[in-house]
Amino acid sequence: MFRIQPHSPEPIFQQLVDQVKDAVTQGLLREGDKLPSVRELARQVTVNPNTVVKAYDLLERDGVIVRRQGAGCFLTGKTTNLDPAERQARLDAALAQAVSEGLHLDFDAAAIRAALEAALKRQSPG
Amino acid sequence: MFRIQPHSPEPIFQQLVDQVKDAVTQGLLREGDKLPSVRELARQVTVNPNTVVKAYDLLERDGVIVRRQGAGCFLTGKTTNLDPAERQARLDAALAQAVSEGLHLDFDAAAIRAALEAALKRQSPG
Amino acid sequence: MFRIQPHSPEPIFQQLVDQVKDAVTQGLLREGDKLPSVRELARQVTVNPNTVVKAYDLLERDGVIVRRQGAGCFLTGKTTNLDPAERQARLDAALAQAVSEGLHLDFDAAAIRAALEAALKRQSPG
Amino acid sequence: MFRIQPHSPEPIFQQLVDQVKDAVTQGLLREGDKLPSVRELARQVTVNPNTVVKAYDLLERDGVIVRRQGAGCFLTGKTTNLDPAERQARLDAALAQAVSEGLHLDFDAAAIRAALEAALKRQSPG
DNA sequence: GTGGTCTAGACCACG
DNA sequence: GTGGTCTAGACCACT
């Protein structure tokens, strides 16, 4: 289920974090589901267990999972634990970044809107 | 004219690159305009001269500026020198990234579209 | 009677130990009362029997219960069997820990005293 | 300045976190001050650099420090970034824990109050 | 078997 | 020189 690109500039632990959040937003994983154990996931994607631990640290920090000693890691069903103001600020920053990149690539507003719709179609569950 | 946020996770050299490109796409800087010298810019924004050198290297690599021996760095008016296929791929990747972030922040498609329009309104010269 | 929070960072066996001691200091359980069997308690709170065994081991070590062959576990009425010096040292350590936490949370002495009084009112039998 | 007890049940990284926060609440360290580098602190207290990294991770998560690539770690002056409701909840939990421990050790309210005052006198800057 | 902590040591990106 | 990432492998606590 998890796919890692070892030579990507995006850190491996970040790829794992994003893929877990993606799975939740797309309904593949739900509240109460159990993630693979640290050792098991490390084996599946052939990375060091410490790298998985770091990913799980971030997922716990973001309120995505809870860990239970000796039991495992379980999904809360959420993908963020930020307050509304902070969430909006991060959304705006993400889009501002994408728009800036698009303009730098010499695209106009229409082309950027089209790219957004394509991305939404790919990722949005609805 | 340049504003550096030293506490940002975005590297300082990257902030400089983006701000030069932003100035071009927004019409604040035009073809033929001269950038400050490395020393001068490093002094203005109080960063390490090596960091400015790195930013100018990247701007030259991207075709944004040309260096003329003993005269300084001049804007070409362009903000990219990539071929169309690569440009489209990067645009799609940028929007995919932003959409993913938005969905992880528990926003729906409408909220993400609204944030895009707000960002376009802020950044688009038209 | 026992309430376990599986998502708490406090280990489950520790929660059981504390709740038995709480029941004694608040007069809900008295000398001679019988605790449920390991199997029965494990069933009631849906935890692993080994976890209950560990809790009962600690309660016996602390002099809170005595085990009688084939009869079960009975309360002694005490919640500690430490000598006075050790008791005082642990009390001081517990309060030092709480004060440190309070100061880190940016509270002043008055707010910490108020929180202590509230906690005493809740827990003190008198 | 930092003192580590390697055989304490409290993890080393947690000891480091608490000592940095203590230093801030007691005015020994102030906003803008620079913490030792990861390697330097690891050398000072003779622990592995990764352990220091973990402590700095937590300090950053709590808003106590900001990290700047290639520059170092700097204090924000704060010791928490929680909202008021969460802060109060944690204060109450900390005192409840201490009171519970005190009652289990067979102390009465007066003795617990006295221990609190002693702890405040030791730790409070005022 | 699970997560939690720690060590040892390497390579890269940034300023 | 600084922080960021990753690997390899050990030992302990909890269920």
Side-chain angles (χ1 to χ4, degrees), chain B residues 97-113:
Chain B
Q97 169 65 30
V99 166
S100 177
E101 173 106 19
L103 294 174
H104 292 173
L105 290 165
D106 206 23
F107 287 105
D108 60 15
I112 295 173
R113 284 193 194 94

Side-chain angles (χ1 to χ4, degrees), chain C residues 91-110:
Chain C
L91 177 68
D92 290 341
L95 271 300
Q97 170 64 30
V99 165
S100 177
E101 173 104 20
L103 294 174
H104 292 172
L105 289 165
D106 207 24
F107 287 105
D108 60 15

Side-chain angles (χ1 to χ4, degrees), chain A:
Chain A
M1 157 164 181
F2 294 95
R3 294 258 160 212
I4 295 302
Q5 297 174 315
H7 301 319
S8 164
E10 190 180 24
I12 295 173
F13 71 85
Q14 190 65 55
Q15 296 182 40
L16 291 173
V17 167
D18 286 341
Q19 289 184 28
V20 171
K21 289 185 181 179
D22 282 346
V24 175
T25 58
Q26 294 178 15
L28 303 176
L29 292 175
R30 300 184 187 176
E31 178 179 352
D33 285 354
K34 187 172 176 300
L35 283 184
S37 77
V38 168
R39 292 165 173 85
E40 169 62 16
L41 181 51
R43 197 192 56 74
Q44 280 181 26
V45 296
T46 53
V47 301
N48 189 285
N50 287 336
T51 303
V52 178
V53 166
K54 183 162 187 178
Y56 282 13
D57 279 347
L58 290 177
L59 287 169
E60 186 174 42
R61 187 202 61 182
D62 292 347
V64 181
I65 64 171
V66 292
R67 283 153 137 158
R68 287 165 52 188
Q69 259 286 33
C73 296
F74 300 85
L75 290 165
T76 63
K78 298 188 302 178
T79 50
T80 182
N81 59 1
L82 297 174
D83 60 63
E86 181 66 15
R87 286 171 54 226
Q88 185 68 47
R90 296 204 184 186
L91 177 68
D92 290 342
L95 270 301
Q97 170 65 29
V99 165
S100 177
E101 174 100 18
L103 295 173
H104 293 171
L105 290 163
D106 207 25
F107 287 104
D108 60 16
I112 295 173
R113 284 193 194 94
L116 177 80
E117 292 305 323
L120 279 172
K121 196 162 186 178
R122 261 180 279 121
Q123 295 185 46
S124 187

